[in-house]
Amino acid sequence: MKVDNTLIQQAADIIKQGGLVAFPTETVYGLGADALNPTAVNKIFQTKGRPANNPVIVHIADESDLSKVAKNVPMMAKLLINNFWPGPLTLILEKTDQVPMETTGGLSTIAVRMPSHPVAQKLIRLAGTPIAAPSANTSGRPSPTNYQHVVDDLGNSVDLIIDGGPSEYGVESTVIDMTGETPIIYRPGSITLEQIEKLIGTTEYYVQDSLIEEIKSPGMAYKHYAPEAPLYLIDDNFDDLLSEYLSQGLKIGILATHENLAQYPEQTIVFDLGYRSSLSSIAQNIYAGLLDMDKKQVDIILSETFPKTGIGTAIMDRLERASQK
Ligand code: TXA
Ligand code: MG
């Protein structure tokens, strides 16, 4: 989708002046502000209702800008950068003094990525500063993957929203901590563990032991991506559950794969996530499905489940967090 250059210039001016712009990236829409301006970054937190200790991701457009925000970049991180940037991979690195604590939620590390979306790249270049941007949604809600999602959720509280069409990947970037001996994935995304290990060897998923450890990646501690109605992930006995809920007179929403559409009763509200045989299309549609269920005001949402391999790991991570009580 072509975006008018004058609109991107206008957005860049807003960023320079300390305002907020929602803009498209290849993963989800971001809520952007000048990453080096603490007052501007604070507006992101206020607008989202995001806890101040939950750091945001900083976006750059050129590799030469990395040294502005991060230092002591390890060899393995450079390998990842060479292979996966621009794209949906966020690296945790040591931050420079230029980056205010507001941006990193008080941490001495920074999350940084270079988006591949041409509008995001142009916006960052024209703004002439790294752009801090979490997903452009109210904290806890599903992330927006198109312009209308942002309008519905944040509408009036943003200075400008750029429509760049639907997001290519549909789930947020993979977040990987490169500051320790072994790389640790805090958040699975479209760049998979398998792809990363092929390049840099042993990599682990973060497993939080809340009893003995402080939380390493604050965002992972919160309930996330949740629609208004309760969400249940159904592996088997789908039919039994359906007839039970139907007999209770509930308005039932179903996140279904295309292959299975025919099997759901007419009284249910079915959202077609795409073909199970193409998990990347499921990822593209997962947040749209959750948000659609809210629009249709269902009482309860049932979702099919997916294998936890490749991008399936990211899909299940989002569904499991969205279904947490
Ligand atoms: O795809 C994406 O990454 C999108 C688009 C807009 O780029 N952005 C995004 O940002 O998802 P956000 O703020 O919603 O998610 C940032 C995640 C949170 O889980 C946060 O805790 C973690 O990254 N994070 C940020 N800085 C960190 C740090 N220094 N150490 C550990 N985790 C960090
Ligand atoms: Mg988010």
Side-chain angles (χ1 to χ4, degrees):
M1 187 172 157
K2 188 85 187 78
V3 176
D4 191 15
N5 277 335
T6 53
L7 188 70
I8 306 178
Q9 182 62 60
Q10 200 187 332
D13 292 340
I14 291 170
I15 298 276
K16 280 191 216 171
Q17 289 154 19
L20 291 185
V21 171
F23 64 98
T25 84
E26 70 278 19
T27 57
V28 301
Y29 275 67
L31 180 61
D34 180 350
L36 306 181
N37 176 344
T39 315
V41 169
N42 274 333
K43 288 185 193 164
I44 296 179
F45 284 85
Q46 278 159 21
T47 302
K48 281 179 64 87
R50 183 179 176 107
N53 72 344
N54 187 5
V56 294
I57 293 176
V58 172
H59 299 69
I60 57 173
D62 296 288
E63 227 177 287
S64 55
D65 286 337
L66 183 62
S67 58
K68 269 192 203 161
V69 295
K71 60 183 182 189
N72 303 332
V73 180
M75 201 48 226
M76 276 198 271
K78 287 182 182 150
L79 274 173
L80 293 176
I81 288 169
N82 286 338
N83 271 269
F84 297 117
W85 279 9
L89 182 70
T90 295
L91 305 183
I92 309 285
L93 298 165
E94 280 177 49
K95 83 171 194 70
T96 60
D97 292 339
Q98 264 200 79
V99 180
M101 283 295 182
E102 282 79 359
T103 302
T104 61
L107 297 174
S108 61
T109 53
I110 183 168
V112 58
R113 85 177 189 97
M114 186 190 295
S116 62
H117 197 292
V119 172
Q121 288 193 357
K122 189 167 265 174
L123 175 64
I124 300 163
R125 288 205 181 102
L126 289 175
T129 182
I131 295 183
S135 46
N137 53 279
T138 306
S139 206
R141 299 268 302 143
S143 302
T145 53
N146 64 39
Y147 171 78
Q148 194 57 44
H149 292 159
V150 184
V151 173
D152 290 346
D153 190 339
L154 298 180
N156 299 329
S157 38
V158 185
D159 296 310
L160 183 72
I161 306 173
I162 303 177
D163 186 357
S167 307
E168 178 187 350
Y169 292 104
V171 290
E172 299 85 346
S173 61
T174 306
V175 176
I176 185 167
D177 187 346
M178 300 305 295
T179 62
E181 215 156 282
T182 308
I184 298 173
I185 295 180
Y186 289 142
R187 182 175 72 184
S190 292
I191 306 288
T192 63
L193 176 80
E194 295 88 331
Q195 284 174 292
I196 289 170
E197 285 200 319
K198 214 181 251 181
L199 202 66
I200 60 170
T202 306
T203 299
E204 289 167 7
Y205 281 121
Y206 178 58
V207 183
Q208 184 194 319
D209 188 338
S210 53
L211 290 179
I212 56 167
E213 266 187 318
E214 63 180 317
I215 297 143
K216 293 276 170 47
S217 187
M220 308 314 283
Y222 302 106
K223 181 181 160 92
H224 254 99
Y225 320 123
E228 273 148 34
L231 166 70
Y232 297 97
L233 312 184
I234 314 297
D235 302 307
D236 44 32
N237 297 330
F238 218 120
D239 294 344
D240 295 350
L241 269 165
L242 263 179
S243 33
E244 191 190 319
Y245 289 132
L246 279 175
S247 72
Q248 292 173 24
L250 293 176
K251 188 169 177 183
I252 303 170
I254 298 177
L255 300 180
T257 56
H258 198 80
E259 287 91 335
N260 293 333
L261 287 182
Q263 78 179 42
Y264 298 110
E266 252 179 54
Q267 310 95 294
T268 58
I269 292 165
V270 178
F271 185 92
D272 183 357
L273 290 172
Y275 285 94
R276 176 169 288 278
S277 57
S278 158
L279 286 180
S280 55
S281 69
I282 306 287
Q284 271 171 359
N285 293 321
I286 197 74
Y287 286 129
L290 290 167
L291 289 165
D292 187 59
M293 293 295 149
D294 278 353
K295 275 219 147 146
K296 299 193 169 136
Q297 301 191 309
V298 300
D299 298 313
I300 185 169
I301 308 167
L302 308 181
S303 175
E304 293 182 24
T305 60
F306 301 92
K308 288 184 183 173
T309 55
I311 179 83
T313 310
I315 297 169
M316 287 306 292
D317 171 74
R318 305 310 190 274
L319 283 174
E320 281 169 3
R321 287 173 194 282
S323 69
Q324 267 170 37
K325 297 296 163 331

